[in-house]
Amino acid sequence: MYLPDFDYYAPDSVAEACSLLAEHGPKAKILAGGTDLLHKMKHGELAPEVVVSLNNLNALKEIRYEQGRGLIIGARATQNDLATSPVIQEKYRSISEAAHHMANNQIRHIGTVGGNIVNAVPSADLPPILMALGALIQLVGPTGKRTMLLEEFFLGVHQTRIQGDEILTEIIIPEQGFTGSTYIRFGLRRSGALAVASTAVSVTMDGEICRGLRIALGAAAPVPMRARAAEAVLLNRKITDELLEEAGVQAAQESRPRNSIRGSEEYRRDLIRVLTRRALKKAITEGHV
Amino acid sequence: MSLDERITPEQAATQVGTASGENKEYSVIGKSVGRIDGRAKVTGQAKYTGDLKFPGMLYGKILTSPHAHARILSIDTSEAEKLPGVKAVITHKDVPSLKYGISPARWDENIFCIDKVLFVGDKVAAVAAVDEETVYKALKLIKVEYEVLPAVLDPLKAMDEGQAQLHEDYPRNLNTEIHQSFGDVDKALAEAYHVRTDYFVGQRAYQSPIEPHSAISVWEDDKLTVYSSTQSPHYFQYYIARQFGLPMGKVRVLKTHIGGGFGGKLEPTGLEFAGAVLAKLTGRPVKMFYDRHEMFAHNRGRHRQYMKLSTGVDQNGKILGVHADFVMDGGAYTSLGVASAYYAGALLTILYDFDNYKFDMYRVYTNLPACGAQRGHGHPQPRFAFESHLDNIAKDLGIDPIELRLRNARKANTVTPNDFKVESCALTEAIEKARDISNWKQKRSHRPQGRGIGIGLGAFVSGAGYPIYRTNLPHASAVIKVNEDGSSATLYTGAVDIGQGSDTILCQMAAEAMGYSFAKMQIISADTEAAPHDFGAYASRQTLMSGWAVKEAGEEIKAQLLNTAAGIMGYAVEELDCRDERIFVKDQPEISKSFAEVAKEFFVTQGPLVGKGSYTPPKLGGKFKGAAVGTSPAYSFAAQVTEVEVDEETGEVKIVEAWDVHDCGKVINPALLHAQVHGAFYMGMGEAVWEEVKFDDQGRILNSNLAEYRLPTALDMPKFHSELVDSYEPNAPWGVKEVGEGATTPTMGSISNAIFDAIGVRISSLPMSYEKVWRALKEKRKQQTT
Amino acid sequence: MAQVITDAQGVKRYLINLSVNGDTHTLMVKGNSLLVNVLREDLELTGTKKGCELGDCGSCTVLMDGKPVNSCMVLAVEAEGRAITTIEGVAPNDKLDKLQESFIDHAAIQCGYCTPGMILSGKALLTRNPHPTEEEVREAISGNLCRCTGYVNIVKAILAASEQE
């Protein structure tokens, strides 16, 4: 296999990167970790003439907590950075756990959180848990920055709201008083397997009453999706095992999985039911795991 | 060496200690010495074919067909030739048109397709260029015009009238048809207390060695040298010489280190043929290589197989007769598949003692990559089917599966209905030990929800009784040369270490036979010029067959040394022996001379100290058509027990723990032997649950990569126990038998039976994927509620 | 940013300093040059193997600043300024690292093709976590596929090396 030829740029600032992107238009692609981009280039699915690497933008690797703003994750943080970050582990262990179960160790050392989001594939692991935690993302372009809810970012497979000259710089998780969150993925082997179905949840429990929750599904539709009907089953209700099962059934019903070599639509749908119920139970009883 | 010269089992019993323990009779064998290539491999110094570089070397690749079945209308290479850096482009016009394959009756493959392509991945042209990138770019510039033809992708329909036909000489796409009958199966089934018929399906699997195939061709005048990642330099040499009309002496094939083969590197791939032509045309060495996708496309993996089994038993579960009726999806060419087809039926008789047996097989051509030999050649899927079938019968009769197997287990010194003579056989002991160490009885009677435990038996040939192609050459030969001062000795053998450790154990055997030490052994192997002939690494043959040749060579060294020592020491030859580098008087061991001293004296007075040996098996087997396949001087036997945990909601299968107990004769290197069992179980486990090559409706592979063709990872492998039972094989050097392939044969059955035990439903097709288990459980629940 | 030279065909080449096993190499590479190919072809460090070229098998594992990565998924230009360790750098002198010894002692090698990557993944684990559990060992090598060993002896070898700490 080989990579097609391209001109390589490694700008020293986000502004410079944006202007390079603006200059080269659709001929240019952003290189973060490269685990998706190089993969596609090796398969001939993409042949950018210009590659704009974020390699020198070390500020984008930062993970920190800002009082009032919440948890801020630089888009270039690797999946293993997320898995091992003390700040994330303290605040939302669920994100660390989700990152830890992705791909394999070598890939996690180079694959980035930003890449996992912008690549926009249905089976991506980080969007569901970030969506469940109400994450916002910041996009920076030549004319300034904008912030949006992550769940509003995705339009379809490989399609998002990012503009050609914009760069995803950070993910922000505002303080929201969740009592628990978790992400459960189902893969066809215990490492190096894309998720066939996955469910992330966040819950805000008040005793046995669920006062707030988000359920986000992966590999369940062309984009990572909120299971709003399933959420409605539980909101402001006293949680019982029967009710959790009902929410699972509801999530399965509102999901739109596809047939693929990894699993039939029917199978994925049933997995969503099971994973949703299990994830809810876990987040309710174990906190951020 | 004739059979009579070998020791009897009775004599052996006095010589051989426990199979698992150290043996005082021997100095070198029976010990877990470290691999002879260990240091090279842990430091990265070990060179594989793809790591080699020669001055001026070019890189080459093969252009393959994008269609499953199509007529080639034209090939235009002009654009590719114009690309800077491209040195040669070749098509069928530039290469010999002689067909090749495993046997003259089924030579059906050309170096490049001439009129038609028969599968997605069939070979059409090749390029040599200055670097890898240029080669890939040049391939895209070759324009081939095709007329797409209807393709046959379903082996069960391939035999129907009106289907597209792949090869002119094979109507109804029938590549191989086998009908064998022994005893009277119809009568046995008619008279049986219980007859059961089951259907099973085995999937297309792929060997997936981690090292991709490569071959480097170098010409010096009219002599061709090919460095290749091959399991059999000799077989490659034979076919390369034949294609180019060269005497075998003008073709040298050798390997450096091999990154695994498992059957997938046993026959020429086209890299060797095309590379030889490109190297000749350009006058430069050419390295041809596959990437991972191309490996899958070339394939030659395990056949997809449809298996119907009918078995009659008496009230006690004694097997009276078996009818096996199979269809194999051969893919587009014969490859080694005619042997796979015979093996599929032949080895079904080896584990259980019954008299009446019938085997029907249709191996059909389809427009898919050809299938060939994969670890356990032909046996693992039928064995999966039979072991599953037997557990179904056990359930019907209310007999414990282990008890049923014990009642039918083959015994030593018996003959199968298809005329395989089994001398050593400790199968009963293996089953009993597996039962005991796995805590079978307790686990069978108290199992938590979702847990299950199952048994499967396995067996394999210790080398095929007949050569891979028709020839009267000995199967193995070896030369040992002692260094002039006796400080080292080099073993020269055609045996091929593809990772299994044959270089190490053959050096142990050489040192033992010579009375020398392992640490001073060196080896030059698998080089058709530097080492004497051996058929190579397949059919689990080297420990026994190459071992015989090495033992004979070592004993010849020892005899010559003792002769010289007798003169120096003033004793009769009969009074002397040699061990651990010391030649000593048997009755007075303190009187001795060093090996080195005597070896040096030998060189001074008589010239090089060289020993040689060769091995040809005795005539084996019956007289019926196909009687040769499955014959062997010796058979290994194994019992495997596996415990699984099934998530009854998702169908996820977790292999929790597994136990293997082997009868593999005397063990030369216990650590390497157990390592073979680990890997064999691992491969069987992968095929049981995870691995399958999948195609779309155009015959294109959907998962030609290691993300979607899922070899199990370290996290999927269970806790594993490998144990032995005492055994000694009279037809083998020091009583050895095979282990590498046989250990993969029981695995799929044992996992199948464990899943059956866990969920109460039989998954009858491989792989027993999570989704299949989920679906079976869903069906079961549906039936329970209605 | 590396110095750039454009050739007659208009293809750019980048001057990089690559630190491999403690030695600095000054190289001209194309933007599309992968680290694995530069190591194998330009520096002739063929202990780094190519198995799948897509980051699935781990044969090409090298350490980048101590962390295992698949060198088939890293551009050579991006490896500038990072400390690269290949299998050839694990035992820079004649004496083997204890993990290498352990692989030999525990029969953890068969064909040897995955071995360099396995050792580097194992080495990175033991550096970060000198006393891993068996599960942690399995996790650390789960991106390194081995077709020969079933990982049984590889896990044992890494655990045994950790006990020697």
Side-chain angles (χ1 to χ4, degrees), chain C residues 42-56:
Chain C
D42 298 1
L43 303 183
E44 301 195 342
L45 295 169
T46 55
T48 303
K49 304 300 180 197
K50 278 166 91 166
C52 72
E53 303 178 65
L54 292 170
D56 297 322

Side-chain angles (χ1 to χ4, degrees), chain B residues 162-181:
Chain B
Q163 289 286 324
Q165 188 174 322
L166 275 77
H167 297 271
E168 257 176 43
D169 302 339
Y170 296 88
R172 293 175 57 227
N173 295 312
L174 261 174
N175 166 264
T176 305
E177 190 173 345
I178 305 168
H179 303 288
Q180 294 177 340
S181 185

Side-chain angles (χ1 to χ4, degrees), chain C residues 25 31 34 64 68-69 75 78 86 92 94 100 103-104 122 146 150 158:
Chain C
H25 303 268
L34 292 161
M64 208 154 81
V69 299
L75 297 182
E78 304 241 292
T86 70
D94 192 49
Q100 292 171 312
F103 266 61
I104 297 174
C146 170
I158 297 173

Side-chain angles (χ1 to χ4, degrees), chain B residues 649-680:
Chain B
E649 285 193 298
T650 64
E652 184 174 6
V653 176
K654 186 179 176 196
I655 317 283
V656 179
E657 197 164 355
W659 300 261
D660 178 285
V661 180
H662 242 81
D663 159 15
C664 48
K666 165 74 188 168
V667 176
I668 302 299
N669 186 318
L672 293 186
L673 178 125
H674 291 299
Q676 281 298 298
V677 177
H678 302 159

Side-chain angles (χ1 to χ4, degrees), chain A residues 1-2 5 186-192 194 261-264 266-267 270-271 273-274 277-278, chain B residues 133 136-137 140 647 649-650 652 690 694 702 706 708 710-711 713 715-716 770-771 774-775 778:
Chain A
M1 306 191 100
Y2 75 101
D5 284 314
F186 187 82
L188 298 181
R189 85 184 149 184
R190 293 185 64 205
S191 173
L194 293 177
I261 56 164
R262 289 187 286 279
S264 67
E266 192 193 0
Y267 183 44
D270 201 44
L271 287 173
R273 172 184 68 85
V274 175
R277 192 196 66 223
R278 289 180 182 177
Chain B
E133 194 178 323
Y136 277 107
K137 287 177 177 168
K140 290 185 184 161
D647 181 327
E649 285 193 298
T650 64
E652 184 174 6
W690 289 276
K694 295 183 174 182
L702 290 164
L706 295 176
E708 295 300 332
R710 279 176 286 277
L711 312 184
T713 70
L715 287 166
D716 301 295
Y770 302 167
E771 182 164 353
W774 168 82
R775 201 170 289 283
K778 199 177 129 187

Side-chain angles (χ1 to χ4, degrees), chain B residues 544-666:
Chain B
L544 188 149
M545 295 190 171
S546 310
W548 264 134
V550 167
K551 182 169 189 276
E552 196 175 70
E555 285 168 351
E556 192 177 316
I557 297 266
K558 185 168 166 178
Q560 294 175 85
L561 269 186
L562 293 186
N563 209 20
T564 301
I568 303 170
M569 296 167 74
Y571 285 88
V573 170
E574 301 73 42
E575 292 176 280
L576 300 176
D577 198 0
C578 179
R579 265 180 80 158
D580 299 319
E581 297 184 50
R582 291 214 74 76
I583 295 166
F584 56 92
V585 179
K586 283 190 240 180
D587 291 342
Q588 289 168 279
E590 64 281 6
I591 303 175
S592 69
K593 289 250 172 230
S594 78
F595 183 106
E597 188 183 347
V598 179
K600 190 176 177 193
E601 180 62 20
F602 183 97
F603 187 78
V604 168
T605 56
Q606 298 174 64
L609 176 52
V610 174
K612 60 186 174 51
S614 71
Y615 172 74
T616 302
K619 188 155 173 38
L620 296 167
K623 299 249 180 283
F624 57 92
K625 186 164 187 250
V629 181
T631 59
S632 178
Y635 299 86
S636 68
F637 295 92
Q640 264 175 19
V641 172
T642 307
E643 192 176 1
V644 301
E645 189 177 314
V646 177
D647 181 327
E648 295 189 345
E649 285 193 298
T650 64
E652 184 174 6
V653 176
K654 186 179 176 196
I655 317 283
V656 179
E657 197 164 355
W659 300 261
D660 178 285
V661 180
H662 242 81
D663 159 15
C664 48
K666 165 74 188 168

